[in-house]
Amino acid sequence: MPKKKTGARKKAENRREREKQLRASRSTIDLAKHPCNASMECDKCQRRQKNRAFCYFCNSVQKLPICAQCGKTKCMMKSSDCVIKHAGVYSTGLAMVGAICDFCEAWVCHGRKCLSTHACACPLTDAECVECERGVWDHGGRIFSCSFCHNFLCEDDQFEHQASCQVLEAETFKCVSCNRLGQHSCLRCKACFCDDHTRSKVFKQEKGKQPPCPKCGHETQETKDLSMSTRSLKFGRQTGAEEGDGASGYDAYWKNLSSDKYGDTNYHDEEEDEYEAEDDEEEEEEGRKDSDTESSDSFTNLNLGRTYASGYAHYEEQEN
């Protein structure tokens, strides 16, 4: 018989468990809340962008740089961790920074811990948008992670991708390897697997977690917990509208095709009518111009004799 746990032993075990969870939560910070991915407003052009050493738009250096690892803007010298010693003096600005990260393009402070650990643990090491394939250096926005497939997304494509992420690359929810219903779905491969085919010799399942995908090793999720949809292809009788009795077939498909053709012909007829109306207007304008020129020619050949306007008025007065 094992010994019964005392109250002090239970408290100590609970404390150790809490400390373990705290250490794990510190190491796994949410990507949107990480200091290297924080939102920054440029001092010169006033444009909002990701935290970076130089402005993406005007290439100006910020007055108060933010450390990409610890997120501080002022070094208070509370610990002796600083590589550059500044006893009794608070350092800000460029006096606080020690390096620029090649992955996230942000300043790293001159603390020994930040300088030695950030490059290895930078969350934006391979941050390339899965939609547009742009990296951190190619756009000025922040980087996000898809909540379903956990791929990197830029600020422009995050909403559009997540709206269409839960779509399988199959027409049914059946397992890829067999004909049974797929109970587990991989949102990276966009495929379903049954219980038997999720067991893989390459990727082992961790205790208390969902089984990994046998293709890519990404953690799968239960299909019933997701709002998954299948791929729909519009060709043949699948595009036919349902009839009154709820059936659809080739008949409805050809009817839709013929209606589309008639719709196109009506559209072309309208275009031809517009062109004919424009031609008629142009012909009318040309006719008006011709009539004006004819009338002006007839008046030019008209002879009114000696008039005051022609300069013969004073001769007539002398004769009288």
Side-chain angles (χ1 to χ4, degrees):
M1 290 293 293
K3 292 183 179 179
K4 189 177 180 180
K5 294 181 180 179
T6 59
R9 189 177 176 183
K10 288 181 181 178
K11 288 180 181 178
E13 287 180 355
N14 292 335
R15 187 183 69 252
R16 281 196 293 269
E17 187 65 29
R18 284 196 303 271
E19 290 175 355
K20 185 179 179 181
Q21 291 176 0
L22 284 173
R23 284 195 297 270
S25 63
R26 284 173 192 163
S27 60
T28 57
I29 305 174
D30 189 11
L31 183 61
K33 298 178 182 178
H34 205 280
C36 68
N37 198 31
S39 180
M40 179 193 78
E41 187 174 344
C42 179
D43 300 329
K44 190 174 181 181
C45 64
Q46 306 296 323
R47 291 191 178 184
R48 191 166 293 279
Q49 56 197 293
K50 189 191 82 67
N51 177 27
R52 55 182 72 238
F54 305 98
C55 177
Y56 179 79
F57 302 100
C58 62
N59 291 328
S60 62
V61 184
Q62 306 306 305
K63 294 180 180 178
L64 292 175
I66 304 171
C67 177
Q69 181 65 24
C70 58
K72 65 183 179 183
T73 57
K74 181 191 290 186
C75 185
M76 314 256 321
M77 193 59 188
K78 289 186 176 179
S79 62
S80 60
D81 192 32
C82 298
V83 176
I84 302 170
K85 304 298 180 183
H86 49 94
V89 180
Y90 294 162
S91 63
T92 56
L94 292 179
M96 186 201 71
V97 300
I100 298 177
C101 180
D102 290 333
F103 304 117
C104 61
E105 199 189 347
W107 291 111
V108 182
C109 69
H110 59 215
R112 195 180 302 276
K113 182 181 178 182
C114 295
L115 288 172
S116 58
T117 59
H118 176 74
C120 299
C122 181
L124 303 181
T125 304
D126 299 320
E128 186 176 284
C129 179
V130 71
E131 292 287 338
C132 60
E133 297 181 355
R134 291 186 299 172
V136 178
W137 293 77
D138 300 326
H139 65 95
R142 300 167 66 194
I143 300 291
F144 296 94
S145 177
C146 179
S147 56
F148 303 112
C149 63
H150 302 288
N151 282 318
F152 288 109
L153 295 170
C154 66
E155 205 162 356
D156 300 327
D157 297 324
Q158 58 163 332
F159 296 112
E160 185 178 355
H161 171 83
Q162 290 189 102
S164 60
C165 186
Q166 299 185 71
V167 180
L168 294 175
E169 291 185 357
E171 298 179 8
T172 59
F173 291 98
K174 293 181 180 179
C175 177
V176 177
S177 304
C178 63
N179 205 26
R180 286 186 293 180
L181 184 65
Q183 298 177 356
H184 304 277
S185 298
C186 177
L187 289 166
R188 284 195 178 177
C189 300
K190 302 292 187 290
C192 288
F193 301 96
C194 62
D195 285 333
D196 295 338
H197 289 103
T198 49
R199 298 168 188 168
S200 174
K201 296 180 180 179
V202 181
F203 307 105
K204 294 185 178 180
Q205 182 179 357
E206 296 182 9
K207 189 177 180 181
K209 291 187 177 181
Q210 293 290 336
C213 173
K215 283 188 175 181
C216 62
H218 183 256
E219 186 177 348
T220 59
Q221 299 183 37
E222 289 192 11
T223 310
K224 64 180 182 181
D225 296 337
L226 304 169
S227 57
M228 299 291 291
S229 58
T230 57
R231 181 181 61 180
S232 59
L233 300 174
K234 294 184 178 180
F235 62 88
R237 62 187 179 86
Q238 293 184 3
T239 56
E242 289 189 358
E243 298 174 357
D245 56 350
S248 62
Y250 290 106
D251 223 1
Y253 171 68
W254 291 113
K255 285 178 184 177
N256 291 338
L257 272 184
S258 60
S259 63
D260 290 342
K261 287 181 182 178
Y262 288 134
D264 293 340
T265 53
N266 294 334
Y267 177 70
H268 291 308
D269 292 340
E270 290 177 1
E271 285 187 346
E272 290 177 359
D273 295 340
E274 289 178 1
Y275 289 138
E276 288 176 0
E278 289 178 359
D279 294 338
D280 295 338
E281 289 177 0
E282 290 178 357
E283 290 177 359
E284 289 177 1
E285 290 179 359
E286 290 177 357
R288 288 173 188 170
K289 289 180 181 178
D290 294 339
S291 62
D292 293 340
T293 53
E294 289 175 0
S295 60
S296 62
D297 292 339
S298 63
F299 283 115
T300 53
N301 297 327
L302 184 64
N303 188 9
L304 298 177
R306 294 180 178 182
T307 59
Y308 285 95
S310 59
Y312 293 101
H314 59 283
Y315 295 112
E316 293 178 358
E317 289 175 358
Q318 288 177 2
E319 289 176 1
N320 294 332

